[in-house]
Every structure is written in structure tokens, then in C-alpha cells.
């Protein structure tokens, strides 16, 4: 079971007036079309407005899971975020969705959060757990077409898009395997040996990266970014491995971070996704975090969240990923982090 939190970046002009509107908006709120998922929208304010979302993968029908404990955690998180109202949508068969929604309804009541609507969606139909009227919510469910909704049209008009599924995002970030992986392992060993020759002798930790290493790293990431802007990605395993090893230096990584802007984010997204998918596990945290920033800059918070998930697998304590995750969770708009002053604070001097 997995539980994730991400904050919506949805235009305030989207008004949800009923189940069909909620279901039409969901893919643009979370950035993908959900399946086998319990999605909870947290609202707060006197005139409740969307504040945050929580997504939880559902276990197979009949499987044992921690739904009661998970529901308590989710309800507590809603309360801690100041959400007094919530909407829940479960995607999947009745057996898997109903027991999780029931647990959430009990937990929300204990936490003082009003679960105003709870829906189940499956095969183009929805059922409401809060409506008992057979006229508007018949036992066979209500057919709906999200593509015909004005809410979906407004979302698209505001530049929002949605991945086909969460799995499609994970597949997009899947590591290269087979012969390519063997080549990358050998290339990484060679890159590590090359890096050792550039590191400051007799020093360890952050101090090991001397001026020569930082200058070489800055030149390499700038060249890679310029090439990506022209549609060229590094294909040579040695080149990719070298970029991954160079990014192990925080100052080199932050040099790459500073290069991500409104006009360059798309190229950086392609570049760091390519490096993330090819580099060895020990070097995935930096390109994964840079990918998250580039995706965030482009408004693709679903891809950013998936990239951070990959980072957490390789380095759960990576500070840049934690910073970006907190910003996404708070629903902060991208403003070009880190500030440009970072370059002045950490100059890269020629040896």
C-alpha cells in the first residue's frame, strides 16, 4: 500500500457543482487518470476551496491491508492542514473501494472533518455513498462522460493536462535494463575513477570536491543543457555516467538547478529524465530532483511527484528532494528556485 500527498495547482475558476464535475476535474487536479486509487480532496475556508489532495493505492479486493490506520492518518492530515470539508473518490471494484471509504468516513467523523461527498467510479459509472435517493443515484450507477464536462474544457483551456495513468508516469521513469544497464555499470566505474583524479587529495565528504571538479562539473552540465535545448541528449554511457557522478557534488547540482527557467524547463525535463533512467542507483537522487524541479516549472506536478518517489527509493534523506516535496505539498507555484543569488554565494573558481 502506498500513500502520497500532493497539492493541486488548479485554476481557481474551476467550480465543482456535482459528482460529474468532481470526476471531470480529478485528472487535472492530480495530473493523471486514476485507477485502483482512493483520492481525497481537502477543502478549507469559509467558502470551502480546494487546498490539498491525498492519494492512496487500493489493495486487491478482499486483501488484508491497513485501511483503518491509513484512514486515521489521512483524516488527521486533513485536520492538520485546516481542512474542514473533504471529498472522496474511489476508483475500482466495490469490494476494494467500499471498505476504504467506510473506514475514511469513520475516521473523518472522529477528526471533525465533514466528508461531503464520497464516490466510487468503475467502467464509466459512478455511485455515491452519501446519496440514498434512487432517482439521482440508482443501484446500477450513473453513466458519465468527463470529456463532455465544461470543467474539463476549462482545465484544458487553462493549460492543464493529465497522464493516462499513474503507471504510465512510472513507466516513463523506468530504469534502462539489459545490455544498456551493463554498459552503464562499467561506465560508472570509469567515471568514478576519473572523478577521483579531480577530487582534492586528502579531503573527504563535501571538501573532497575541489575547484577543478566544480569547474568541470559546471562546464559539463551547461554543455548538456545547451545540447538538450537543441534536441540532443547524451547517448554515450560514459557521458551519461560522468554527468551522474558530477552531480554528486552539491555545487555542481545547484549549477544545473540555476539553469532551469521558464524557457529551459522542457529541455531540462528531457535531459534529467534521460540521465535518471540510465544512471546507477547511487547517482539517481540529483537528476531525479532536477527532473522534479523542471516538471514543477512546467506545471506537471504528477511527473514531479513520481520523480521524487524515485529519489526516495535511492536516497530517502536527500535534502533537495525533501525541499521540493514540501513546496509541492504546500501548493507553492514555481518561482525559479533556487534564487539567482545562489550562484553568487557559491562561485565556481578556475583552479
Amino acid at each position: 500500500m502506498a500513500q502520497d500527498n500532493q497539492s493541486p495547482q488548479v485554476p481557481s475558476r474551476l467550480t465543482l457543482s456535482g459528482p460529474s464535475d468532481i470526476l471531470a476535474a480529478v485528472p487535472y487536479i492530480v495530473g493523471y487518470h486514476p485507477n485502483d486509487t482512493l483520492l481525497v480532496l481537502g477543502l478549507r475556508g469559509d467558502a470551502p476551496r480546494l487546498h490539498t489532495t491525498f492519494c492512496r493505492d487500493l489493495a486487491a479486493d478482499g486483501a488484508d491491508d491497513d485501511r483503518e490506520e491509513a484512514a486515521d492518518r489521512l483524516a488527521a492530515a486533513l485536520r492538520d492542514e485546516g481542512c474542514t470539508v473533504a471529498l472522496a473518490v474511489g476508483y475500482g471494484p466495490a469490494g476494494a473501494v467500499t471498505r476504504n471509504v467506510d473506514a475514511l468516513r469513520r475516521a473523518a467523523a472522529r477528526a471533525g472533518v465533514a466528508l461531503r461527498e464520497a464516490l466510487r467510479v468503475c467502467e464509466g459509472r459512478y455511485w455515491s455513498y452519501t446519496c440514498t435517493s434512487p432517482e439521482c443515484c440508482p443501484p446500477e450507477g450513473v453513466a458519465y462522460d468527463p470529456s463532455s464536462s465544461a470543467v474539463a474544457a476549462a482545465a484544458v483551456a487553462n493549460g492543464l493536462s493529465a497522464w493516462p495513468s499513474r503507471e504510465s508516469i512510472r513507466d516513463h521513469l523506468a530504469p534502462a535494463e539489459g545490455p544498456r544497464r551493463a554498459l552503464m555499470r562499467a561506465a560508472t566505474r570509469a567515471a568514478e575513477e576519473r572523478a577521483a583524479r579531480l577530487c582534492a587529495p586528502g579531503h573527504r565528504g563535501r571538501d573532497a570536491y575541489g575547484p577543478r571538479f566544480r569547474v568541470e562539473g559546471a562546464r559539463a552540465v551547461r554543455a548538456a543543457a545547451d545540447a538538450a535545448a537543441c534536441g540532443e541528449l547524451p547517448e554515450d554511457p560514459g557521458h551519461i555516467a560522468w554527468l551522474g557522478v558530477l552531480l554528486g557534488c552539491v555545487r555542481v547540482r545547484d549549477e544545473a538547478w540555476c539553469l532551469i527557467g521558464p524557457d529551459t524547463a522542457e529541455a531540462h525535463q528531457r535531459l534529467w529524465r534521460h540521465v535518471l533512467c540510465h544512471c546507477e542507483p547511487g547517482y539517481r537522487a540529483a537528476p531525479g530532483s532536477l527532473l522534479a524541479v523542471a516538471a514543477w516549472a512546467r506545471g506537471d506536478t504528477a511527473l514531479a511527484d513520481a520523480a521524487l518517489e524515485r529519489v526516495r527509493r535511492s536516497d530517502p534523506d536527500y535534502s533537495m528532494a525533501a525541499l521540493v516535496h514540501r513546496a509541492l505539498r504546500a501548493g507553492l507555484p514555481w518561482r525559479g528556485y533556487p534564487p539567482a543569488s545562489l550562484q553568487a554565494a557559491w562561485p565556481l573558481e578556475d583552479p
Side-chain angles (χ1 to χ4, degrees):
M1 306 299 291
Q3 182 171 327
D4 298 297
N5 174 283
Q6 61 186 54
S7 294
Q9 304 214 359
V10 181
S12 58
R13 68 190 67 185
L14 293 184
T15 302
L16 310 182
S17 58
S20 294
D21 286 344
I22 295 171
L23 299 181
V26 159
Y28 303 99
I29 292 173
V30 298
Y32 59 91
H33 293 268
N35 54 70
D36 297 322
T37 298
L38 176 64
L39 174 72
V40 180
L41 311 180
L43 295 80
R44 69 180 187 182
D46 295 333
R49 298 172 65 88
L50 182 60
H51 171 66
T52 191
T53 69
F54 293 88
C55 301
R56 183 169 187 265
D57 293 342
L58 296 179
D61 188 9
D64 292 332
D65 62 17
D66 60 346
R67 61 184 179 277
E68 295 292 342
E69 180 181 350
D72 283 334
R73 289 197 303 268
L74 201 155
L78 288 168
R79 182 190 58 216
D80 293 344
E81 290 287 332
C83 298
T84 56
V85 175
L87 310 173
V89 185
Y91 292 81
V97 174
T98 300
R99 55 204 177 100
N100 281 276
V101 169
D102 288 346
L104 177 62
R105 295 178 74 178
R106 292 189 291 269
R110 291 192 294 269
V113 177
L115 193 60
R116 184 163 295 176
E117 181 62 275
L119 303 170
R120 181 175 76 86
V121 180
C122 188
E123 298 179 350
R125 291 181 175 270
Y126 72 80
W127 293 258
S128 173
Y129 292 95
T130 61
C131 178
T132 58
S133 170
E135 285 76 20
C136 64
C137 298
E140 67 273 15
V142 179
Y144 77 100
D145 179 8
S147 64
S148 64
S149 169
V151 169
V156 173
N158 278 277
L160 299 180
S161 60
W163 289 79
S165 67
R166 201 173 188 185
E167 291 71 23
S168 67
I169 309 176
R170 291 168 176 163
D171 291 344
H172 183 65
L173 302 182
E177 299 294 348
R180 190 71 170 170
R181 175 55 51 211
L183 290 173
M184 285 304 306
R185 280 195 291 268
T188 300
R189 288 193 294 270
E192 290 170 339
E193 293 172 0
R194 180 182 176 187
R197 294 192 291 272
L198 289 175
C199 286
H203 293 268
R204 307 180 70 177
R206 290 187 178 182
D207 292 337
Y209 299 109
R212 291 177 60 206
F213 190 100
R214 296 196 298 271
V215 168
E216 175 64 23
R219 289 171 177 163
V221 297
R222 288 169 186 162
D226 288 344
C230 297
E232 301 174 6
L233 297 178
E235 293 298 336
D236 176 59
H239 189 180
I240 300 171
W242 184 228
L243 283 171
V245 170
L246 288 170
L247 291 173
C249 174
V250 172
R251 295 191 182 186
V252 173
R253 181 207 68 192
D254 287 343
E255 175 72 16
W257 191 351
C258 287
L259 295 175
I260 300 174
D263 298 329
T264 63
E266 183 178 0
H268 278 270
Q269 179 176 308
R270 293 195 305 270
L271 171 62
W272 302 124
R273 178 255 175 186
H274 186 71
V275 175
L276 171 65
C277 292
H278 284 83
C279 66
E280 287 293 276
Y283 295 98
R284 289 174 182 167
S289 297
L290 292 169
L291 168 58
V293 170
W296 177 24
R298 301 186 69 225
D300 193 342
T301 55
L303 178 58
D305 187 68
L308 295 176
E309 179 182 295
R310 288 288 309 279
V311 173
R312 286 193 292 271
R313 291 180 189 173
S314 59
D315 189 347
D317 300 318
Y318 197 67
S319 60
M320 178 182 175
L323 174 65
V324 176
H325 177 71
R326 286 196 297 271
L328 289 172
R329 178 173 179 175
L332 297 178
W334 180 83
R335 294 193 180 98
Y337 299 105
S341 59
L342 182 62
Q343 292 174 309
W346 282 356
L348 295 165
E349 302 172 355
D350 285 318

